[in-house]
């Protein structure tokens, strides 16, 4: 009968600890009498970030907000530099959805330029947006 290696192996704890650049939870370090860093804790469930790393899951939905700063680099590493979910788009309508996303992004950038009173850049973006909106309207009329 085949027996699995009973030595130290793969565990979710080690995976999370490696991704979060922390020591695995089973290794203990001598604690300093006066810790230098403030431990981040969820206001709702009181889970700390080291506890999350040890357990491997959040205590509540508010933990995502509490640990957002620590999780962002990890999520970017796991998802090839992306931190937002775009999902999969059917190819037949993908062109218009991509155009809509580009237009929305340009509108956000346009608002930023207007707020900073960078009107020359804002005019260029406005023209780009109009051009993309015209292209989107043509695709919708033509059925892509």
């Amino acid at each position: 009968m085949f027996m699995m290696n009973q030595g130290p192996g793969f565990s979710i704890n080690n995976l999370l600890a490696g991704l979060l650049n922390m020591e695995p939870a089973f290794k203990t370090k001598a604690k300093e009498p006066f810790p230098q860093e403030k431990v981040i804790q969820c206001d709702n469930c009181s889970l700390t970030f080291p506890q999350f790393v040890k357990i491997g899951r959040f205590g509540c939905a508010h933990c995502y907000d509490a640990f957002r700063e620590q999780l962002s680099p990890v999520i970017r590493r796991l998802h090839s530099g992306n931190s937002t979910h775009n999902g999969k788009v059917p190819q037949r309508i993908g062109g218009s959805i991509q155009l809509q996303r580009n237009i929305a992004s340009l509108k956000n950038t346009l608002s930023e330029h207007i707020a900073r009173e960078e009107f020359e850049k804002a005019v260029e973006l406005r023209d780009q947006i109009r051009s993309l909106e015209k292209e989107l309207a043509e695709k919708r009329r033509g059925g892509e």
Side-chain angles (χ1 to χ4, degrees):
M1 182 166 146
F2 179 72
M3 297 285 291
M4 297 277 304
N5 183 3
Q6 300 296 327
F10 174 78
S11 74
I12 297 297
N13 183 33
N14 290 339
L15 174 67
L16 282 174
L19 288 172
L20 299 171
N21 290 328
M22 297 185 76
E23 293 293 319
F26 58 84
K27 291 184 181 178
T28 58
K29 295 167 82 176
K31 295 193 177 204
E32 295 181 34
F34 303 103
Q36 299 293 328
E37 296 180 24
K38 180 183 178 243
V39 177
I40 299 170
Q41 188 173 25
C42 177
D43 294 333
N44 189 51
C45 70
S46 301
L47 183 76
T48 64
F49 191 70
Q51 288 172 327
F52 159 68
V53 171
K54 182 178 180 181
I55 297 169
R57 61 182 163 190
F58 289 130
C60 69
H62 299 278
C63 290
Y64 290 97
D65 293 325
F67 306 131
R68 180 178 308 278
E69 196 171 305
Q70 289 76 22
L71 293 174
S72 183
V74 175
I75 292 171
R76 279 188 159 77
R77 263 187 288 178
L78 288 172
H79 296 286
S80 306
N82 297 319
S83 62
T84 57
H85 176 71
N86 293 328
K88 291 185 179 180
V89 179
Q91 191 166 3
R92 64 184 173 86
I93 62 168
S96 63
I97 290 178
Q98 187 62 36
L99 274 175
Q100 289 172 346
R101 286 180 182 167
N102 287 344
I103 291 168
S105 175
L106 288 173
K107 284 182 178 181
N108 288 335
T109 307
L110 175 66
S111 297
E112 292 170 7
H113 285 301
I114 291 171
R116 289 188 302 240
E117 297 181 3
E118 297 171 344
F119 299 115
E120 292 89 12
K121 292 179 182 177
V123 168
E124 291 174 16
L125 285 174
R126 181 202 61 198
D127 294 341
Q128 264 186 301
I129 291 169
R130 285 182 180 168
S131 171
L132 290 175
E133 286 175 338
K134 184 185 283 187
E135 184 179 338
L136 182 62
E138 288 173 5
K139 281 189 174 199
R140 286 182 176 162
R141 267 183 271 146
E144 291 199 32

